[in-house]
Amino acid sequence: MVQEDLVRIAHLSCGSEYSGIQKEIETAAEIVNARVFYPEISIEEVQQVQDDFGLHVASSDLGLIMARARVLVEGNTNADAVLITTCFRCAEGAVVRNELRRYIYENSDLPVISYSFTERTTSGTLLTRLEALTTTARRRSLLAREHQEGLTAGIDSGSTTTKSVVMKDDKVIGRGWVPTTNVIQSANEAYNKALETAGVNRDEIQALGVTGYGRFLIKEEFNADLVQEEITVNSKGAVYLADSQRGTATVIDIGGMDNKAISIQDGIPGMFTMGGICAGASGRFLEMTAKRLGVDITELGALAVKGMQQNVEMNSYCIVFGIQSLVNSLSKGSVPEDVAAASCHSVVEQVFEQQLQEVEVKEPLIMVGGSSLIEGVPKAMEDMLNIKVVVPPDSQYIGAVGSALLASGFINK
Amino acid sequence: MVKVFIYPSNSLILSDLVDRFGHEPLAVMHEIGKKIKTAGLDSPPINITPEDPKKGLKYAAVEVPSGVRGRMSLLGPLLEEAQAAIIVNGQDISFGCMGCARTNELITFLIKAKNIPTLDLDYPRTEETARDFVHQIHEFLAGLDNIKTGTSDQSSGDE
């Protein structure tokens, strides 16, 4: 990774030291050239803060992080970004974590991310999140870019599929999409397809951006100008394609391995969450449903919008037991349309329950990624939130478009 | 000499009082000190590793937050050794603080469940009550000299 400016991440934490994961947090921070520190506060500030906030907690470490949040908002400490962590399954910690994240987001310009950990949390789990946090802190001018210029390309090396686009003067002129097998080989195939449909040669490309799980590997292979995690890249691509670069927006990307929910202000992510614990809440569940119904994944959405999810009993969010519920429904005579609708509803319900509670949902709500093209998924989200969901053109290429857009900032470098 | 568990278990004042009155304080500072000073594969040693919350499973189930179990991996063994205990309730954080309310609840419950001589006190907020506070601790600790350590059949000595 290219060494960039050091980012100072203020860590507001209850329990991470006693969970034995402090070293994991610091390791992830080191990889993205960041330093984690605890904002200094006085004991009087800890004693006073609960009365001032009107939030009284039984755990004194939570009072401590409230006092630290306040010195950050008041600008009394030199921080570039904020990481809030509390123990997974601690209700009191969850309340304070969510309220402090909101407080910092609404009262400062500091990018903030929160995470609930267990003793099994590793630096690898935290890396993409901290990379996004530091990118938002150090690349604000790049993320503010609203237009693609010149001839650029982007490659999104995802866990399930690899996507590539070629862009010229604010237009997507070439597209490539292949299943991910061998990371470099799949990237080559997708990139070649995009170049071929655009009618340009590789050496004509003025700048290349890469993102996704395989970004570090393909960065070396293609000598990319920009390598950036998918949270900031996808949010940039989403507001660009949905023509919502100014003001608020919320981006939801249900991916093959993880889901992202991102609150955006003027094209720059403010709060975001990245879920990845349960496969039952991922695009993989939809793939398995399509397979069980004997239809192609591209046909699942059309099937789902014709069905009624209420007609199918889903007893579990688990990818194994959830599919079992669907199989049982089919054996009891449920129609494929209802089963397809139930699977879309199940995935969306989990995203709603586990992730959308952690970000500010502000319109427009933009759904991106391959799963957004399964019509039943945005429909289920609309039904659940009772707001219009925007699926922009080329939404399945969102990471590649975001990369190509941001890469154009490197043309003259 | 009796091993006296103190709560809050990082209270320097309580630890010092127990020591001055001739008993052995069971305080978390000593346990943390061992983790820092003991040579191991990690150099410099890491205070708490992900293995510690797993040791805490002896005291709290897996659905209990890892921060509670990590704290219990330090405090639980101390509690097992304890022959008496002093609990100070409603203390100011400058007096001593374990940080986590769930750990506090579990610790105070386990002290009571152990059925050892226990002094339960409120944190003093005035000079007069502070004098009485020290006096009660002194009386309690002096009384411990007479108990049969290790096999105490004395019921909880809450005061």
Side-chain angles (χ1 to χ4, degrees):
Chain A
M1 187 178 292
V2 177
Q3 197 77 346
E4 294 184 276
D5 295 341
L6 181 81
V7 172
R8 285 172 52 83
I9 301 175
H11 189 193
L12 311 184
S13 169
C14 179
S16 56
E17 310 91 331
Y18 285 101
S19 296
I21 59 150
Q22 201 59 32
K23 184 171 169 31
E24 300 297 323
I25 294 170
E26 285 170 12
T27 300
E30 267 176 42
I31 294 171
V32 295
N33 195 30
R35 185 171 299 147
V36 173
F37 75 102
Y38 295 120
E40 282 190 29
I41 39 159
S42 68
I43 206 155
E44 289 76 20
E45 284 171 307
V46 181
Q47 288 161 332
Q48 185 60 38
V49 72
Q50 296 187 38
D51 283 340
D52 293 349
F53 270 117
L55 177 58
H56 291 269
V57 289
S59 297
S60 41
D61 274 1
L62 293 174
L64 188 72
I65 70 173
M66 284 160 67
R68 285 181 168 145
R70 188 155 71 174
V71 298
L72 286 168
V73 164
E74 289 174 351
N76 295 332
T77 191
N78 181 19
D80 304 309
V82 187
L83 169 67
I84 309 175
T85 59
T86 61
C87 292
F88 181 57
R89 297 194 188 99
C90 176
E92 188 178 41
V95 168
V96 173
R97 189 181 72 233
N98 287 341
E99 293 311 318
L100 288 187
R101 187 181 49 217
R102 198 188 321 273
Y103 167 70
I104 293 166
Y105 178 67
E106 288 174 355
N107 295 286
S108 77
D109 291 330
L110 294 167
V112 55
I113 186 172
S114 66
Y115 190 73
S116 61
F117 53 78
T118 70
E119 69 270 31
R120 291 183 177 274
T121 297
T122 63
S123 57
T125 312
L126 297 165
L127 183 60
T128 301
R129 292 168 174 88
L130 288 189
E131 195 186 346
L133 191 66
T134 52
T135 299
T136 309
R138 65 162 70 100
R139 290 189 177 176
R140 289 188 93 84
S141 60
L142 181 68
L143 291 173
R145 168 169 287 274
E146 293 185 354
H147 294 283
Q148 184 274 339
E149 292 161 2
L151 184 64
T152 63
I155 304 173
D156 178 2
S157 176
S159 59
T160 311
T161 56
T162 303
K163 289 77 65 178
S164 179
V165 297
V166 173
M167 292 183 74
K168 185 178 182 186
D169 300 334
D170 261 342
K171 286 191 177 62
V172 178
I173 61 167
R175 298 163 182 85
W177 185 98
V178 297
T180 303
T181 48
N182 175 298
V183 170
I184 291 174
Q185 194 180 317
S186 300
N188 261 313
E189 285 173 25
Y191 192 20
N192 287 338
K193 278 188 183 179
L195 291 165
E196 195 181 318
T197 52
V200 298
N201 295 319
R202 198 176 280 202
D203 55 12
E204 291 178 69
I205 298 296
Q206 293 172 282
L208 172 70
V210 296
T211 189
Y213 276 88
R215 62 190 178 280
F216 295 118
L217 203 55
I218 61 174
K219 188 235 173 201
E220 300 300 324
E221 175 72 13
F222 296 92
N223 194 24
D225 301 278
L226 171 97
V227 55
Q228 199 160 302
E229 38 56 48
E230 52 271 33
I231 292 170
T232 53
V233 169
N234 288 12
S235 52
K236 195 64 208 171
V239 293
Y240 173 76
L241 288 175
D243 198 18
S244 302
Q245 301 210 59
R246 299 287 173 88
T248 62
T250 307
V251 174
I252 297 174
D253 179 2
I254 300 173
M257 266 179 67
D258 58 43
N259 304 327
K260 297 133 200 133
I262 312 158
S263 284
I264 297 175
Q265 180 69 44
D266 294 330
I268 296 176
M271 287 196 283
F272 53 88
T273 70
M274 192 173 166
I277 291 176
C278 183
S282 73
R284 190 77 70 192
F285 184 78
L286 300 170
E287 267 188 355
M288 288 181 68
T289 305
K291 196 174 172 187
R292 183 62 188 78
L293 291 174
V295 298
D296 190 79
I297 184 73
T298 56
E299 300 167 48
L300 185 72
L303 209 57
V305 292
K306 292 181 202 155
M308 297 281 286
Q309 61 88 10
Q310 297 90 334
N311 293 343
V312 172
E313 192 181 345
M314 288 282 291
N315 291 325
S316 174
Y317 280 154
C318 168
I319 195 164
V320 177
F321 297 121
I323 292 292
Q324 193 61 43
S325 292
L326 298 181
V327 170
N328 288 343
S329 298
L330 286 169
S331 68
K332 287 178 188 167
S334 288
V335 295
E337 287 84 353
D338 290 349
V339 169
S343 70
C344 292
H345 177 82
S346 173
V347 169
V348 167
E349 191 172 47
Q350 289 188 73
V351 171
F352 172 70
E353 290 178 0
Q354 293 164 17
Q355 293 191 266
L356 292 187
Q357 309 302 321
E358 300 213 0
V359 298
E360 292 284 306
V361 177
K362 290 184 177 169
E363 292 188 73
L365 181 76
I366 307 165
M367 287 196 81
V368 294
S371 61
S372 67
L373 297 180
I374 301 170
E375 297 97 316
V377 173
K379 180 179 180 299
M381 188 64 80
E382 284 184 346
D383 292 346
M384 199 161 292
L385 296 176
N386 203 24
I387 58 175
K388 177 87 184 129
V389 171
V390 177
V391 178
D394 288 318
S395 73
Q396 72 273 41
Y397 294 104
I398 207 79
V401 170
S403 299
L405 166 67
L406 295 173
S408 65
F410 288 76
I411 285 179
N412 296 322
K413 290 187 178 175
Chain B
M1 183 186 285
V2 170
K3 292 180 177 180
V4 182
F5 185 89
I6 57 169
Y7 173 89
S9 51
N10 62 351
S11 170
L12 292 173
I13 294 173
L14 273 185
S15 174
D16 183 58
L17 282 172
V18 172
D19 192 36
R20 278 176 193 235
F21 293 131
H23 295 288
E24 182 185 342
L26 297 174
V28 78
M29 295 80 81
H30 304 299
E31 300 308 300
I32 293 280
K34 280 185 217 163
K35 285 194 170 283
I36 293 168
K37 291 170 197 158
T38 308
L41 288 174
D42 297 303
S43 184
I46 303 163
N47 287 355
I48 308 272
T49 72
E51 289 305 307
D52 290 283
K54 290 176 194 163
K55 290 176 190 161
L57 285 169
K58 183 174 178 186
Y59 308 99
V62 72
E63 64 263 38
V64 175
S66 52
V68 176
R69 287 183 281 114
R71 287 175 171 93
M72 288 309 298
S73 71
L74 293 170
L75 299 170
L78 288 182
L79 205 49
E80 285 176 18
E81 279 185 62
Q83 297 164 312
I86 299 174
I87 300 172
V88 177
N89 300 298
Q91 83 283 4
D92 191 274
I93 52 172
S94 59
F95 179 77
C97 163
M98 293 311 300
C100 171
R102 302 292 87 81
T103 310
N104 295 347
E105 289 158 4
L106 184 57
I107 285 288
T108 48
F109 166 73
L110 290 175
I111 293 171
K112 300 280 169 77
K114 198 170 162 68
N115 205 23
I116 52 178
T118 304
L119 178 65
D120 217 326
L121 289 169
D122 286 332
Y123 180 72
R125 298 280 171 184
T126 65
E127 196 170 326
E128 192 182 336
T129 53
R131 283 205 185 93
D132 187 48
F133 176 83
V134 175
H135 176 71
Q136 285 194 61
I137 289 172
H138 178 228
E139 291 282 298
F140 174 74
L141 292 170
L144 292 180
D145 292 330
N146 304 322
I147 70 163
K148 200 174 173 184
T149 58
T151 54
S152 171
D153 58 356
Q154 183 177 336
S155 59
S156 180
D158 291 2
E159 293 183 12

